[in-house]
Amino acid sequence: MTSLFKPKQFQYLEIEETEGGKIISLFLHNPESRNAMTWKMGEEFSQAIEIIRKSKTPPRVVILSGRNAVFCAGGDLNLLRSFSEKTYSQNKRDMRKFYSFFLSVRKLPCPIIAAVNGHAIGAGLSLAFACDLRIFAKEGKFSFNFVRLGIHPGMGSSYLAPELLGKALGVRLLVTGETFGGAEALQWGLASEVHPKENVYEKAYQYAVSLVEAAPLALQELKKNLYDERALDQALKKEAKSQAKNFLSEDFRETLTSVREKRNPIFLGR
């Protein structure tokens, strides 16, 4: 088998190619920040997706998971802090770019399974929502915590959450920022399966092996017809504008101060 990727090609991604290249596993790997999303990780992630898309012999299934006993802790705090130091126009442009790095998963021609092997917070949970199938860790904690940080939800969550969960439940999770677990993910139909975290990737791999036998051309056509990408794009435009504004607010500066001082933020609405 000819590998699509070079050994240790990426700093923040680990990649495994198995079943003769028919299954590719992408692992987020940023041990210093619990796989938090950085700009560099996003560039690498987008590059890996593009390599898969342009392959003459693309995989039948992709699995997305995380190293370090966690899936993804959301946006990196230093990255978020940098947005507070930019202009509105810069933030609006950069947020769209940042979203596009990770939401490139929607452009894959084959099914992608999110093996959510631990906590998935904020943009990290949005990334799992952007995948086709999800297997969650029973012990994991999951939350769209954006409003608790003083910012509008991003990474497509304002569209993806209602799309998957229905309007009422999707809005509830976005507005409250509440935390839920694996049991709720299964009950709500968000997860196909729920397992102990040490078994999540193995179960996702078993699922992937079963999909390898499906007709790839039929799955490619199905993926084209499953999602309304125009509606997602419109949501991303609105999110970028709103987050660009929020990053410059006193409330967001209070978030950064409260993190440094290890206390809950006190928002004043300005």
Side-chain angles (χ1 to χ4, degrees):
M1 140 184 152
T2 302
S3 175
L4 291 179
F5 299 95
K6 301 174 184 177
K8 298 183 179 179
Q9 183 173 353
F10 302 111
Q11 181 179 356
Y12 297 113
L13 283 180
E14 290 187 359
I15 300 175
E16 295 179 1
E17 300 173 70
T18 53
E19 303 294 325
K22 293 180 180 178
I23 298 176
I24 291 181
S25 299
L26 305 177
F27 297 92
L28 304 178
H29 182 49
N30 190 352
E32 294 182 358
S33 61
R34 299 175 64 80
N35 299 343
M37 295 168 160
T38 65
W39 194 271
K40 178 63 175 176
M41 179 193 281
E43 289 178 329
E44 292 186 352
F45 190 89
S46 179
Q47 182 183 350
I49 296 297
E50 194 64 12
I51 289 172
I52 294 171
R53 288 183 64 228
K54 291 184 176 180
S55 170
K56 294 181 179 179
T57 55
R60 300 287 183 88
V61 189
V62 171
I63 301 173
L64 174 61
S65 193
R67 297 296 196 201
N68 320 305
V70 67
F71 183 72
C72 180
D76 177 75
L77 183 60
N78 289 327
L79 177 66
L80 299 182
R81 184 180 290 111
S82 73
F83 293 139
S84 70
E85 300 167 353
K86 297 180 180 180
T87 67
Y88 170 80
S89 296
Q90 289 173 326
N91 279 334
K92 186 171 64 171
R93 177 199 65 208
D94 289 350
M95 292 317 301
R96 285 300 306 271
K97 185 68 174 178
F98 189 65
Y99 302 154
S100 71
F101 288 151
F102 293 97
L103 293 179
S104 58
V105 296
R106 301 280 282 209
K107 297 180 180 180
L108 282 172
C110 61
I112 178 166
I113 304 172
V116 187
N117 59 312
H119 302 338
I121 306 299
L125 184 57
S126 302
L127 179 57
F129 272 41
C131 296
D132 302 305
L133 299 164
R134 286 155 296 279
I135 297 177
F136 274 53
K138 181 180 179 181
E139 313 92 326
K141 294 182 179 179
F142 316 107
S143 172
F144 289 115
N145 67 333
F146 297 98
V147 295
R148 295 184 179 273
L149 298 177
I151 55 176
H152 186 283
M155 197 59 72
S157 56
S158 63
Y159 173 79
L160 295 168
E163 177 191 51
L164 281 179
L165 296 167
K167 192 76 170 181
L169 183 52
V171 169
R172 175 183 132 190
L173 295 183
L174 292 169
V175 168
T176 65
E178 68 184 81
T179 300
F180 62 95
E184 290 90 345
L186 185 63
Q187 177 186 346
W188 296 336
L190 174 58
S192 304
E193 302 176 18
V194 171
H195 299 281
K197 60 183 179 181
E198 62 270 17
N199 297 335
V200 167
Y201 175 76
E202 175 189 353
K203 295 297 183 180
Y205 193 86
Q206 292 174 2
Y207 213 129
V209 169
S210 70
L211 289 178
V212 164
E213 300 175 359
L217 293 180
L219 286 177
Q220 288 174 22
E221 292 302 313
L222 175 59
K223 283 209 62 172
K224 291 178 184 178
N225 297 326
L226 279 177
Y227 305 114
D228 188 346
E229 295 304 319
R230 287 177 296 180
L232 175 58
D233 187 63
Q234 288 299 312
L236 292 173
K237 289 179 181 178
K238 294 177 183 178
E239 288 182 355
K241 290 179 181 179
S242 295
Q243 285 199 327
K245 184 186 300 183
N246 293 154
F247 281 130
L248 302 179
S249 69
E250 289 186 28
D251 278 349
F252 185 66
R253 287 194 290 274
E254 164 63 9
T255 293
L256 298 176
T257 301
S258 67
V259 170
R260 185 174 65 250
E261 296 178 354
K262 299 181 179 180
R263 60 171 175 80
N264 292 327
I266 301 173
F267 296 129
L268 299 177
R270 56 177 185 254

